[in-house]
Amino acid sequence: MVISLISELKRRSVFKVGVVYLAAAWLLLQVVATVAPILELPAWFERGVLLLLAIGFPVALILAWAFELTPSGVQRDDGAEKSSAAGRRPLDYVVVATLALALVYFAADKFLFSADDGDVPPGASVAVLPFTNLSQDPSNAPFVDGIHNDLLTQLFRIRSLRTIPRTSVLRYRDSTKSISEIAADLEVAAILEAGVQRSGDRIRINAQLVDAATEKTVWADSYDEQLTAKDVFEIQGAIARSIAAELQAVLTPDDQRRLDAIPTRNIDALETYFVGRKMLEDRTLESLEAAIEYFETVVEIDPEFALAWSGIADGYMLLPEYSATVDREMVDERALAAVTRALALDPDLPEVRATQAWYELRMYDWKKAEGIFRDALAVAPDNTNVLHWLSHVLAWQGNYAEAVTLARHAVEVEPESKIMRTNLAYILIDARQYDEALEIGNRLRREAPAYFTLQRNIFLHELRAGRFRLAARTFVDYSIAIGGDAAAARAIGDMFIAYGERGEVGSLTDELITLTKLGSEDLAQVLAFIGDAEATIAALQVAAPEHSGSRSVFSMKINPAYDFIRDDPRFQALLEQVGLAD
């Protein structure tokens, strides 16, 4: 019986059709996987194709049983025995052709395409430990850290080399762990150690590359040069090339060009820029104001320093996030002037492009901002600044799947970064994955209790997740941390609880807003969470044309806080105004 069934399946070419179907399906899935990222197809598209192919497989087998392919076309199989030369030969040709195509694709993918796809060669991975300040002068620390950071930037731009980001290696400053232990932690093949000594008008850098497995030095060199910006950049380029050569990473012409670049030739401008960048990363109102001053000093020294102009724009665009009173019109004017200057000087720098995209986002040009971010990501796929902001652009438009993927990748690149982990929590909240988001936020809060940005995000996250009593307590903690009045903050917290649990609409007075230092970045969301529809719409109508209130305005399309006013024509007009209407 079984033998008879197998014979009949063979006679009806069911096995051949199955082989052809599976081979053709595999080919189609490879093509879809290749073109989907290029055409920016949604993540469900590939899953949909796979599901359809799975459904089609048994259908193809049934059709193979019922019909046959003949020189005269497709005909119903009447069960009669055919000669081997008749009826089945066209299907044999189809089998051979399909398998040949699959074999050709497999060989081309393995032996031709893989050489140029930018993958990291085996062993081409490095961690650059924080540089040692050999001069023992604490005032040189920002300069030494700046050189370390710039070398990492150079290495990150080598696509065939995996480099561990700065925030992940900082914890190994003065570590007692061995090289092999650090390398195992970071999963790299080699560790670079270096010391920087600055004396008068000279700089000396000693560097060595250590094999992680043997802890033997595979390359070492010393650089003793005049203390000029040109020499500093040339030393960094030389070290980067040596690392790439030892780890057999391929330097493309673009890599070579970037390594040869000299952003500034003025050492004073470079040192001041290093300090400004550190201030920008600290993310407080005071540090942002200081960063802008440092960057403005840099461009007075060297007006051709594109990265400093980009830093000025970044600083101004961040100010509204940390100040309730900053002049929004002034911010827009100065940010535009700075980013325009940076683009005129070096439009290809990923940092400059990210700043430009961020500005376009604040002007509500979503399509242009996303396009610029994607272009920058193509050049620097591990640039966390780009990953950070592009994830926001996508999430605020409702593209949660890709937004979460990018935010997770940013954390993979910089797992120790508070900013990137906070951003992941924010994106997960947008995607309504509340439990994981709050877990990340609370873990960060335990690690960095003074991190004000996180505290602000957490109370908003808790409100969206319906944890009203937790949000009330977190809001009080946040308001006190930024100098607000505790009693006023508790009054607003009570309104969160009253509306969230009992539907009682609150009323937020100007006095409460002032006392709690509640800025326009959060005002509309807070008003929404106490159920005041008229005040919420009024706050959004003020914030939207001022390009302020990024958390309140940019999230309008997807923020559940606004669901109770979503059908209001005024709210729909606001969505249209900021480019978020369907």
Side-chain angles (χ1 to χ4, degrees), residues 387-400:
L387 290 165
H388 172 192
W389 285 107
L390 180 55
S391 67
H392 277 305
V393 171
L394 297 173
W396 285 327
Q397 295 178 89
N399 186 352
Y400 304 127

Side-chain angles (χ1 to χ4, degrees), residues 54-112:
I55 294 171
F57 183 67
V59 175
L61 298 183
I62 293 170
L63 292 175
W65 176 273
F67 296 93
E68 62 178 337
L69 183 62
T70 72
S72 302
V74 177
Q75 298 180 358
R76 179 177 292 277
D77 193 320
D78 58 8
E81 189 69 30
K82 306 289 191 304
S83 68
S84 61
R88 300 302 179 186
R89 185 165 296 169
L91 184 57
D92 292 341
Y93 294 151
V94 172
V95 172
V96 172
T98 304
L99 292 177
L101 280 172
L103 182 62
V104 168
Y105 184 94
F106 176 81
D109 182 67
K110 185 170 183 65
F111 300 109
L112 295 179

Side-chain angles (χ1 to χ4, degrees), residues 307-546:
L307 287 172
W309 286 107
S310 180
I312 290 173
D314 289 344
Y316 275 116
M317 289 189 292
L318 276 169
L319 275 182
E321 305 276 344
Y322 298 86
S323 171
T325 58
V326 67
D327 184 336
R328 266 63 179 180
E329 185 176 348
M330 175 273 293
V331 164
D332 290 341
E333 289 176 356
R334 296 189 181 180
L336 176 59
V339 74
T340 301
R341 181 66 174 143
L343 284 167
L345 291 168
D346 197 338
D348 296 327
L349 275 176
E351 295 86 353
V352 171
R353 296 287 280 168
T355 300
Q356 178 196 12
W358 187 11
Y359 179 82
E360 298 297 345
L361 175 62
R362 293 185 73 256
M363 297 297 110
Y364 308 132
D365 192 335
W366 295 83
K367 185 176 181 180
K368 187 172 183 180
E370 182 178 340
I372 296 170
F373 276 131
R374 289 192 184 279
D375 289 345
L377 202 62
V379 175
D382 291 333
N383 186 304
T384 51
N385 191 36
V386 177
L387 290 165
H388 172 192
W389 285 107
L390 180 55
S391 67
H392 277 305
V393 171
L394 297 173
W396 285 327
Q397 295 178 89
N399 186 352
Y400 304 127
E402 188 179 2
V404 170
T405 298
L406 293 176
R408 289 194 193 281
H409 181 53
V411 172
E412 290 169 1
V413 173
E414 291 196 39
E416 302 299 318
S417 169
K418 294 193 296 291
I419 294 175
M420 295 309 136
R421 286 185 286 166
T422 299
N423 181 66
L424 174 58
Y426 194 111
I427 300 302
L428 288 169
I429 285 292
D430 283 346
R432 306 194 184 195
Q433 298 179 31
Y434 299 129
D435 290 341
E436 183 183 357
L438 292 174
E439 180 184 347
I440 293 171
N442 287 325
R443 188 166 58 247
L444 265 169
R445 181 160 51 179
R446 290 191 296 271
E447 294 176 16
Y451 188 36
F452 302 149
T453 295
L454 174 68
Q455 290 180 333
R456 174 173 57 183
N457 282 346
I458 286 180
F459 90 77
L460 290 170
H461 295 350
E462 288 168 340
L463 285 171
R464 285 212 214 173
R467 319 285 171 85
F468 304 107
R469 292 184 179 275
L470 285 174
R473 289 199 295 268
T474 305
F475 178 69
V476 173
D477 292 341
Y478 168 67
S479 183
I480 292 172
I482 61 173
D485 180 77
R490 279 193 290 272
I492 293 177
D494 289 342
M495 293 183 208
F496 293 153
I497 297 169
Y499 181 67
E501 295 183 352
R502 301 184 296 276
E504 299 174 9
V505 176
S507 178
L508 202 59
T509 64
D510 291 339
E511 182 182 13
L512 283 175
I513 293 172
T514 302
L515 286 173
T516 55
K517 298 187 180 296
L518 189 60
S520 62
E521 296 301 296
D522 305 317
L523 181 57
Q525 280 193 86
V526 169
L527 288 164
F529 281 118
I530 64 172
D532 192 334
E534 291 300 317
T536 300
I537 290 174
L540 289 171
Q541 288 172 333
V542 170
E546 288 184 351

